[in-house]
Amino acid sequence: SEMCIRDSINAEYGGRSHHCMRRSLPRLLRMNIYDVYPSDYAALLEAKVATTRNTFTPLGIPELEVFASSKEHYRMRAEFTIFHEGAKNSVGDAYYCMYDWPAGQQEDQPAAGEAPAVVEEQEAEEPDGKRQKMSDGATRRKLSKKAMRKLQRKEAKLGQPKKERVRIDKLPRASTRINELMPEVLSALNTSELLGQYLFQVNFLTTLSGEALVTLLYHKKLTDEWAAEAAALKQRLGCDFVGRAKKQVLPVDRNFVVEELSVHGKPLIYKQVEGSFSQPNGHMCEKMLEWAIDSTKKLDGDLLELYCGNGNFTLALAPNFGKVLGTEISKISVEAAQFNIEQNKAENVIIGCLSSEDFSAAWANKSIVKTRPVGDIAAQEIDLSQYNFTTVLVDPPRAGLDDGTISMLQQYENLSLIHISEPTRLLSISYAVFCLKKKKI
């Protein structure tokens, strides 16, 4: 099977095991957070392709396949901080904002989410209350990798310029529906004490068909009066609202949107819940699914997907395999995935609430693995001996694949592996490295 690295202008790659190589890559595409440059898109995309090609050249990969994104209004979701110009938590003077590095400082900052390089052998002395004596009586010891990364992140902030607040009145990279709703929602928030007071964040989630969900986050308890005011706003603007506060989640009607993607002319329906992950670029997701389907048409056997989310890839690839098993740790995503299985009539798919670590342990022994109950979905016992996994798809979280999963996959020489690298993830070389050395991708 062949490898395709999907790339779009808003992609940023990284990899926690290859910090030195990542730091040496030129920051060719560092742009501010609120503008897009349609006239420069072709050149920027070409530069990004060249950077990615050079990064992967040592691995001897095939030529990249590149799929261009829409030049603007491509992002289906957006999050804004709410800033009040007058007194704290005043009403009538709020506006959307984001935070960005000061002009001239971008080139020196790590990429979004990028942690400083980890020097595993470095030692640090802990505060007196946390010192532990070693066998030789010393009070210095090695920090764990997690503690070291935390310490270095703190050190990296010292002496660094702080991000500046940037007022956002429109966001060209966000969907047309989001840009339509932004001024209308803000006007409502600035004219209602119930809706505007103690508000600190607004999130938008939209679909290609124009469905919209707005989440309002507060530093106050939400009341029935708030719900009535939000319901009236829902009727006026034609979108759903969810209120969030400490230990409170209050949907006015529903807390999700239903996306319909066209993949090779076939509709695929996906429930996308607010606060959970969904592909931000709808049209790019369609191209990504089409590529995955085409790349697995000649594969037989069964498919295993780890970190399957709401079944985005699982359901699209199901017709290419005998049986499909997906694992996901998020209960919200598992519930959405079950809805999506039913809507798409994917009878050969099972998605269970199960960590990849637990699955790896069970698969090693071809034993029965038990999923966790989620809402109305009962726990299931899945006999792994009844599966003939020939293909594994991994779409891991930002931290990358866990060590147990890596070890598990390396033991099976005949597996075909599909590794999905998301734009916001730290994956420059990523853990596809170990796969490229040992597997066919």
Side-chain angles (χ1 to χ4, degrees), residues 265-331:
K266 176 185 175 181
L268 287 175
I269 298 172
Y270 294 99
K271 177 181 181 179
Q272 298 178 346
V273 182
E274 67 91 22
S276 62
F277 177 79
S278 60
Q279 294 289 341
N281 190 329
H283 288 304
M284 185 58 68
C285 183
E286 292 174 332
K287 296 178 183 179
M288 193 158 49
L289 294 177
E290 288 174 348
W291 169 83
I293 291 171
D294 293 341
S295 297
T296 57
K297 276 184 177 178
K298 296 181 180 180
L299 301 179
D300 54 8
D302 301 328
L303 170 67
L304 168 66
E305 182 179 355
L306 306 176
Y307 315 96
C308 69
N310 67 352
N312 185 58
F313 285 93
T314 323
L315 301 172
L317 296 178
N320 287 356
F321 296 91
K323 290 181 287 187
V324 179
L325 175 62
T327 69
E328 172 57 49
I329 195 64
S330 166
K331 294 182 178 181

Side-chain angles (χ1 to χ4, degrees), residues 322-396:
K323 290 181 287 187
V324 179
L325 175 62
T327 69
E328 172 57 49
I329 195 64
S330 166
K331 294 182 178 181
I332 294 176
S333 294
V334 171
E335 286 186 300
Q338 189 58 42
F339 173 92
N340 297 337
I341 289 173
E342 295 170 359
Q343 291 295 310
N344 293 284
K345 298 179 173 57
E347 298 178 356
N348 64 333
V349 175
I350 294 178
I351 293 179
C353 187
L354 184 69
S355 70
S356 63
E357 294 90 338
D358 291 342
F359 176 85
S360 300
W363 191 17
N365 301 315
K366 293 292 183 182
S367 59
I368 294 176
V369 63
K370 187 174 182 180
T371 66
R372 304 166 190 173
V374 178
D376 296 332
I377 305 172
Q380 302 179 69
E381 289 189 346
I382 301 172
D383 187 356
L384 297 182
S385 66
Q386 301 302 308
Y387 285 84
N388 175 31
F389 293 122
T390 58
T391 305
V392 177
L393 188 148
V394 291
D395 186 1

